Amino acid sequence: MAPVVFHQVTKEFPGGTTAVDALDLEIPDGELMVLVGPSGCGKSTALRMIAGLEQPSSGRITIGERDMTGLSPGARDVAMVFQSYALYPHMSVRDNLAFPLRRRRMGRDEIGRRVTEMAEMLELGELLKRKPAQLSGGQRQRVAMGRALIREPVAFLLDEPLSNLDAKLRTELRAELKRLHRRLGTTMVYVTHDQIEAMTLGDRIAVMNRGRLQQVGSPDEIYRRPCNLFVGRFVGSPAMNLLPGPAVGRGADVIAGVRPEAMHRAGEVAGGIPLELVTDVVEPLGSDVYVHGSAGGEAVVARLPGNVQVSPGDRLALAIDPADLHLFDRETEGRLAHE
């Protein structure tokens, strides 16, 4: 285990594309850090540079006390899990798990012990004789994770490993991965474009956009105090509503962000800012109902209790607690402090 640190790392590709721009980021020993952002934001390139699959154009990456500049992937003592599983189809689960240990010429008894322990940890004991084609998607991903972990690397890198799985299985494996990290205490760097995965998995989240780091913090910090308009809109589902300042009693040079769950029926918030929502689409979800419509000339989504009766075309009187507003400068899109 070891901290992973980016020191002003930039990666430029031929043709002038800057995938990662002056990235400064420290991932402490034993932390599960999630790199999140839209496609093309540089998160996977950053992960590949840790692994040595890409070399920085400038800056450096250290793992522990070691400068990784110029080191081959095999010399970095990191393990990587890909979206595509990358299992050997002709090998059994047992042989897939044992393969990296055999490459190190480890003794047969030690290999057997580690394979047994890893299979037990990942609930693969009854599947050791099967080939990958005989496994479900979730089982294959557990084998891929086990093959990476069995080496006991100093850092564990995961590049969108759950994106090929169905929603139920993604939820199950997210919980399994968190338990595994808590048990092992290994430094993990997890890349995803799914902000729900980021929020539920990460000890901390690093939000990236267009190659630049936007904000680093705990899931709660990122959600409750986004540093700019991009982070506010990207993190959260449904996305943060954006209203012109005058619609909530602010100046024209302000954009007000309001989370869908911060919009209440009129009368439920003492001293609330009134807002009328003209309903367009209603999505009942049992415990909640998502009401889509327009307010203040902008598209708005309100998340209301599931027992609220509302139909398309209704005019809903809503209220917002001023403390729930996120204010952003219209020009710079940076967060504004407010009481």
Side-chain angles (χ1 to χ4, degrees):
M1 298 184 292
V4 177
V5 184
F6 289 83
H7 305 266
Q8 282 288 296
V9 172
T10 294
K11 177 62 179 180
E12 296 178 353
F13 287 106
T17 300
T18 301
V20 175
D21 189 0
L23 176 59
D24 272 321
L25 178 64
E26 180 173 354
I27 303 165
D29 185 12
E31 182 173 75
L32 200 169
M33 169 67 79
V34 179
L35 306 183
V36 66
S39 297
C41 73
K43 57 189 185 295
S44 289
T45 301
L47 194 76
R48 289 171 63 84
M49 285 192 287
I50 300 173
L53 301 176
E54 301 284 356
Q55 293 297 323
S57 303
S58 62
R60 61 193 180 95
I61 297 171
T62 56
I63 300 178
E65 301 299 321
R66 301 174 66 204
D67 188 336
M68 296 293 108
T69 304
L71 288 184
S72 67
R76 297 182 179 220
D77 197 18
V78 298
M80 194 164 183
V81 175
F82 300 91
Q83 177 180 343
S84 60
Y85 316 134
L87 299 176
Y88 298 108
H90 62 288
M91 292 185 182
S92 66
V93 169
R94 182 186 301 277
D95 288 337
N96 265 284
L97 291 174
F99 182 79
L101 305 183
R102 289 174 180 153
R103 288 283 304 271
R104 292 184 171 188
R105 302 186 182 279
M106 191 172 288
R108 179 176 296 182
D109 290 346
E110 179 64 10
I111 290 175
R113 182 187 68 79
R114 288 204 191 186
V115 168
T116 299
E117 287 181 355
M118 189 57 61
E120 181 181 344
M121 185 187 303
L122 295 174
E123 298 181 4
L124 296 169
E126 297 181 359
L127 307 175
L128 288 174
K129 295 181 180 179
R130 294 190 188 180
K131 301 285 180 63
Q134 299 172 296
L135 304 176
S136 68
Q139 290 167 341
R140 290 181 202 175
Q141 196 56 277
R142 289 208 301 274
V143 176
M145 288 193 289
R147 190 179 61 184
L149 284 169
I150 202 167
R151 293 172 41 199
E152 299 180 358
V154 296
F156 187 35
L157 314 178
L158 302 104
D159 191 4
E160 306 206 42
L162 307 184
S163 59
N164 286 340
L165 307 179
D166 62 54
K168 180 175 182 295
L169 198 51
R170 281 202 304 272
T171 301
E172 291 173 358
L173 282 186
R174 281 203 306 265
E176 190 169 301
L177 187 57
K178 288 198 77 165
R179 285 193 294 269
L180 193 61
H181 176 256
R182 191 165 57 243
R183 177 173 176 179
L184 297 175
T186 306
T187 304
M188 293 188 178
V189 187
Y190 188 105
V191 159
T192 182
H193 65 275
D194 185 334
Q195 49 87 25
I196 294 177
E197 268 188 21
M199 294 286 289
T200 54
L201 269 176
D203 295 330
R204 288 193 305 154
I205 300 171
V207 184
M208 298 184 67
N209 187 38
R210 297 181 179 178
R212 296 194 66 88
L213 181 64
Q214 303 293 307
Q215 187 172 358
V216 183
S218 70
D220 189 66
E221 290 168 346
I222 296 288
Y223 188 78
R224 298 190 184 281
R225 291 193 61 83
C227 70
N228 60 31
L229 200 59
F230 171 81
V231 176
R233 286 285 290 170
F234 186 79
V235 176
S237 182
M240 177 184 285
N241 299 299
L242 301 181
L243 297 168
V248 291
R250 263 63 180 182
D253 58 345
V254 169
I255 296 174
V258 186
R259 296 288 184 193
E261 66 272 19
M263 308 186 83
H264 307 276
R265 299 293 297 270
E268 294 178 354
V269 180
I273 300 167
L275 199 72
E276 184 180 71
L277 174 64
V278 181
T279 304
D280 180 32
V281 174
V282 178
E283 295 181 314
L285 299 174
S287 60
D288 301 304
V289 58
Y290 290 165
V291 182
H292 300 250
S294 61
E298 299 291 338
V300 166
V301 181
R303 179 180 175 182
L304 302 174
N307 60 3
V308 170
Q309 300 297 314
V310 60
S311 301
D314 289 352
R315 291 179 175 269
L316 282 181
L318 301 177
I320 304 165
D321 188 330
D324 290 331
L325 289 178
H326 302 264
L327 302 182
F328 304 97
D329 183 278
R330 180 176 293 278
E331 183 176 351
T332 68
E333 299 190 352
R335 183 182 185 88
L336 298 171
H338 72 286
E339 297 297 328

